[in-house]
Amino acid sequence: AVVSTQSTGYTTNPLQRWNHCPVPRCSGESKCWDGLQKDYRGPQQVTKSGEQCQKWTEQSPQQHSRTEANYPDSGLGNHNYCRNPDNEPSGAWCYTTNPEKRWETCDVPKCSPPTAESDTCWDGLQKNYRGDIKETVSGESCMKWTEQSPHEHSRTAENYPESGLGEHNFCRNPDNEPGGAWCYTTN
């Protein structure tokens, strides 16, 4: 079931630089993830072999540079949940509390083939949303990501590769905006 359609977006109105895109949110918590699992924000805290994950804020027994300060918007923090801050090809992982095993991937279930609902609704940050919605909830048309007018911006395919930006005006979330997919508008 679809729960909400609120997603943050930018507008061309100088008095209001944001608006929402009507990308429906799915009901319930996602229990599976595809791709690099970059958006995974679940509570998995044990690796595939059963090792306990080390908190991202701790430097013992594993010293590391994967910190919230070095990898903002990657879901790191004062917890030991599996994450993928650095685009590890095998998906979500963590440092372990075992001094003999530095890190390991986690057993985050892969999603089944899409269903009718999963084709039309999105969970989390909607970073992987690649649908064709190009109008905000207030009815304003989205500006093409390749254009710099009426809004000059740095959200370009060059600056945000693999974010689905390009020669189109579809809602996207290249910068992990907490509210989800958004767009600049032509108004």
Side-chain angles (χ1 to χ4, degrees):
V2 174
V3 175
S4 164
T5 59
Q6 298 288 313
S7 298
T8 303
Y10 287 86
T11 74
T12 56
N13 180 342
L15 301 176
Q16 182 184 345
R17 295 236 338 133
W18 65 270
N19 208 336
H20 298 280
C21 288
V23 178
R25 291 199 179 273
C26 301
S27 61
E29 184 179 326
S30 287
K31 306 236 187 288
C32 65
W33 304 89
D34 287 323
L36 296 177
Q37 302 172 341
K38 250 329 262 159
D39 286 337
Y40 174 68
R41 298 294 184 268
Q44 179 73 24
Q45 55 189 296
V46 176
T47 68
K48 287 183 178 184
S49 70
E51 297 286 348
Q52 184 67 37
C53 292
Q54 172 181 306
K55 280 188 173 185
W56 295 99
T57 52
E58 294 179 0
Q59 293 292 321
S60 177
Q62 316 299 343
Q63 288 190 335
H64 61 89
S65 63
R66 291 351 182 248
T67 64
E68 191 172 20
N70 292 340
Y71 292 84
D73 302 318
S74 292
L76 304 181
N78 189 25
H79 61 76
N80 65 340
Y81 303 142
C82 301
R83 297 292 183 258
N84 192 3
D86 57 356
N87 295 314
E88 175 63 36
S90 51
W93 61 277
C94 69
Y95 292 104
T96 77
T97 56
N98 179 349
E100 304 297 315
K101 188 167 199 91
R102 182 163 170 76
W103 69 276
E104 188 177 24
T105 56
C106 300
D107 195 15
V108 176
K110 294 279 186 192
C111 294
S112 307
T115 64
E117 180 178 299
S118 69
D119 284 343
T120 59
C121 63
W122 300 86
D123 287 323
L125 297 175
Q126 302 174 339
K127 188 153 180 72
N128 294 324
Y129 172 70
R130 297 297 183 266
D132 60 0
I133 294 174
K134 55 186 174 184
E135 186 176 279
T136 67
V137 292
S138 62
E140 296 179 86
S141 295
C142 293
M143 181 175 101
K144 282 188 177 183
W145 294 99
T146 52
E147 295 175 352
Q148 292 292 319
S149 177
H151 290 295
E152 194 171 324
H153 62 91
S154 63
R155 276 40 169 215
T156 63
E158 296 77 30
N159 292 338
Y160 293 86
E162 299 181 29
S163 291
L165 304 182
E167 183 68 35
H168 62 77
N169 61 340
F170 303 134
C171 296
R172 298 290 183 258
N173 191 4
D175 55 357
N176 294 314
E177 189 67 36
W182 59 273
C183 72
Y184 293 98
T185 70
T186 58
N187 183 356

